[in-house]
Amino acid sequence: YEMTADGRIFSDGLEVVILDVRIVPPAHEGPGQPPLTLNEWLRGSLRRLSACLKTMGTNLHGCPLSVDAAYVSPENIDLIEQLEMHLVSKLSANRKVEGDVGGAIMAKVGYFAGLAIFVEHHRCRFLPGEDGVEYQRNTVHVPSLRRDVLAVTFLRETDFVVYFTTKLGMKTITLRNILRYRWQLERIFWILKQDIGIGDIHNQKENRVETRIYLHLIFAQVAREAANVFNCSPKDIIRSIRCSPKRALQELGFHSAFATEQFLGPVSTTPLAA
């Protein structure tokens, strides 16, 4: 897995360091025991991370864990709760929930949320700092997960989406921030893979591998920030740099020894380049 720190935020009065964990199980080769599933790798990685942190005198207690809906299972949530963490994820449309909407009802998530909005629209609230975004909170029981969760429905212009957390008292703005930062991390990885094409790293020297990863992360973040400034996509920025690095960097207000017609002397080491 890859783990990258992406700044700090303050949530519910606590300082939170956002991490992204990528689970990449190896392919099965030859006879023998089948490889672990993604969910098995996730649980194993969480246990190893927890054990590692204990050796440093700290732990994962109180940390939120945001995962794709494919990783939402009773076994995963059991471990997450054992570690005293809180899960945040999207509720799959095919999951059934039980709750009170003018009476007890069991239905699939989409039907339940739609009915709750229709029957109890007076409970919808506007999300602070989000223009025009409404939300509704419902505590529901999810039979397939064997527990109660907090389901938060976010109303958009033409539809709605339902997310949940195992922490029943979590603030809506906190849940929204967790999802937003996870999406930003996902965008960085998308740029790295699809736009920059980071590819495989075959070098065996740890410092060179780390330097290359950091350089790619810096480049991805610069492309993302520049795209916001110029109202285009990161791919447009990267394409411009590849086609005409000197002109692109001048437009961005940057200066580089690698993008000039004048020879400014050797830049021999990777750390200096970084």
Side-chain angles (χ1 to χ4, degrees):
Y1 57 86
E2 301 166 351
M3 204 162 36
T4 61
D6 190 67
R8 299 167 184 261
I9 62 170
F10 289 87
S11 175
D12 282 351
L14 300 175
E15 186 179 20
V16 180
V17 178
I18 301 298
L19 299 176
D20 181 87
V21 179
R22 277 284 148 137
I23 307 300
V24 186
H28 182 47
E29 296 181 1
Q33 184 177 352
L36 299 177
T37 66
L38 291 176
N39 281 286
E40 290 169 338
W41 270 83
L42 173 62
R43 292 194 292 273
S45 296
L46 282 175
R47 291 189 183 98
R48 289 190 293 273
L49 177 59
S50 177
C52 178
L53 291 176
K54 284 182 180 179
T55 65
M56 303 176 184
T58 186
N59 54 60
L60 293 167
H61 297 176
C63 293
L65 175 67
S66 180
V67 299
D68 187 87
Y71 293 98
V72 176
S73 71
E75 295 78 12
N76 289 351
I77 297 180
D78 287 342
L79 175 60
I80 290 166
E81 292 184 341
Q82 288 174 21
L83 298 175
E84 299 184 38
M85 301 175 71
H86 312 298
L87 182 66
V88 175
S89 184
K90 185 177 181 180
L91 266 176
S92 298
N94 61 345
R95 285 196 187 274
K96 289 185 177 181
V97 300
E98 295 178 283
D100 189 351
V101 184
I105 183 176
M106 176 184 285
K108 290 186 177 181
V109 171
Y111 180 82
F112 180 91
L115 184 62
I117 293 170
F118 179 77
V119 174
E120 300 181 334
H121 191 270
H122 61 280
R123 293 199 302 109
C124 292
R125 298 288 184 269
F126 282 99
L127 192 62
E130 298 284 344
D131 188 24
V133 176
E134 291 185 275
Y135 69 91
Q136 187 183 90
R137 296 164 62 95
N138 294 282
T139 299
V140 299
H141 180 73
V142 186
S144 62
L145 300 179
R146 305 191 296 266
R147 54 188 32 88
D148 293 342
V149 302
L150 170 65
V152 181
T153 304
F154 292 97
L155 284 72
R156 301 184 287 205
E157 291 184 2
T158 58
D159 61 354
F160 58 83
V161 61
V162 184
Y163 290 92
F164 82 96
T165 175
T166 53
K167 184 179 181 180
L168 300 182
M170 180 178 287
K171 295 180 180 179
T172 302
I173 192 66
T174 300
L175 184 145
R176 181 75 167 183
N177 284 340
I178 292 170
L179 297 171
R180 179 184 295 111
Y181 279 97
R182 177 173 177 260
W183 172 244
Q184 290 180 0
L185 287 166
E186 289 288 344
R187 287 298 304 156
I188 288 293
F189 277 104
W190 175 267
I191 294 169
L192 284 170
K193 292 189 297 184
Q194 302 297 326
D195 298 338
I196 297 177
I198 185 171
D200 297 329
I201 300 176
H202 300 288
N203 199 299
Q204 300 300 312
K205 292 186 177 180
E206 183 178 358
N207 63 335
R208 291 193 178 186
V209 173
E210 288 182 347
T211 300
R212 178 170 169 180
I213 291 173
Y214 285 133
L215 282 170
H216 277 96
L217 286 170
I218 292 168
F219 185 32
Q221 186 63 38
V222 168
R224 188 167 171 270
E225 295 292 340
N228 290 334
V229 171
F230 291 95
N231 194 27
C232 61
S233 73
K235 181 177 290 187
D236 294 330
I237 297 294
I238 294 167
R239 185 185 296 115
S240 297
I241 292 175
R242 284 174 174 163
C243 293
S244 179
K246 180 180 179 181
R247 180 179 177 185
L249 293 174
Q250 286 177 343
E251 290 290 328
L252 294 172
F254 298 152
H255 302 281
S256 170
F258 300 99
T260 177
E261 295 175 355
Q262 298 179 352
F263 182 70
L264 300 180
V267 182
S268 57
T269 63
T270 305
L272 181 59

